[in-house]
Amino acid sequence: DTAVSQTPKYLVTQMGNDKSIKCEQNLGHDTMYWYKQDSKKFLKIMFSYNNKELIINETVPNRFSPKSPDKAHLNLHINSLELGDSAVYFCASSQEGLAFYNEQFFGPGTRLTVL
Amino acid sequence: QKEVEQNSGPLSVPEGAIASLNCTYSDRGSQSFFWYRQYSGKSPELIMFIYSNGDKEDGRFTAQLNKASQYVSLLIRDSQPSDSATYLCAVNAPGAGSYQLTFGKGTKLSVIP
């Protein structure tokens, strides 16, 4: 009955590799997000995506690309991994259309370590 | 550039005391304000939200909002060791196509038994 799930929970890889993180939500929400939390615990939005629109945070390198096969899934693909990509990546979802209140539900996170 | 500022702490309070967590934000267009709690190694979870000036109480938690001063706070009464966590302030402002949350860097709270 997990609301927002992510796989894998841990990901250790070498520089230069390409990897993907998967996210699924069973809440029926129509908006999903990817956040990056660095070693200092700063949680920063990377992307938000709903049926209508992908919002790209322009500070995110284009090596990062979100892919949404349907509204319950939002995967994150990362090309040419760099040391600075090491962080915890959180997926979240919310129900758009509730005006200014959109509680976001977070997945358990994926800890990415780039060696 | 939307900014949300929090004192990173750590903030240490004795068990049973009131913990006061503060947050300021830069975007006057911000409409709603959230407090998330994050235990070490876990994901953030929502504990309070507020969108009107004044106080909002939920159990031991009280959120306070002052839009004129661009200030939001969280009070935790009768603090318990289980309240020890990082508290993230988040601000919701209309953005391009979606309402997005901007998070502060969090305040680490330690409740001492």
Side-chain angles (χ1 to χ4, degrees), chain A residues 37 55 100 102-104 107, chain B residues 32 36 38 43 92 96 99-100:
Chain A
Q37 189 169 46
I55 309 300
F100 49 81
N102 66 333
E103 178 181 356
Q104 293 186 16
Chain B
S32 51
Y36 281 79
Q38 186 176 23
S43 57
N92 187 338
Y99 286 84
Q100 297 190 21

Side-chain angles (χ1 to χ4, degrees), chain B residues 19-98:
Chain B
S20 178
L21 305 165
N22 303 316
C23 173
T24 59
Y25 59 95
S26 63
D27 186 351
R28 284 196 172 274
S30 301
Q31 296 183 335
S32 51
F33 308 85
F34 301 79
W35 284 99
Y36 281 79
R37 178 177 61 200
Q38 186 176 23
Y39 291 114
S40 181
K42 301 296 184 182
S43 57
E45 57 178 332
L46 182 69
I47 53 172
M48 289 285 290
F49 77 94
I50 187 168
Y51 53 85
S52 298
N53 276 329
D55 295 0
K56 179 182 178 182
E57 187 175 320
D58 184 1
R60 295 186 297 111
F61 299 95
T62 299
Q64 299 175 317
L65 175 61
N66 183 326
K67 289 188 178 180
S69 300
Q70 296 176 239
Y71 174 90
V72 59
S73 66
L74 179 70
L75 301 178
I76 306 174
R77 290 182 300 282
D78 189 23
S79 295
Q80 301 296 309
S82 59
D83 295 326
S84 298
T86 296
Y87 289 81
L88 304 170
C89 174
V91 174
N92 187 338
S98 179

Side-chain angles (χ1 to χ4, degrees), chain A residues 25 29-35 45-57 65-76 91-96 102 104, chain B residues 96-100:
Chain A
Q25 55 94 4
H29 290 164
D30 56 16
T31 303
M32 296 183 72
Y33 310 83
W34 278 109
Y35 287 88
I45 183 75
M46 300 176 70
F47 304 102
S48 63
Y49 190 94
N50 63 18
N51 285 334
K52 301 178 287 294
E53 195 169 2
L54 170 65
I55 309 300
I56 298 175
N57 185 319
S65 55
K67 298 189 192 307
S68 180
D70 54 61
K71 86 172 189 179
H73 297 84
L74 181 63
N75 303 324
L76 183 65
C91 177
S93 73
S94 69
Q95 182 59 41
E96 196 69 20
N102 66 333
Q104 293 186 16
Chain B
S98 179
Y99 286 84
Q100 297 190 21

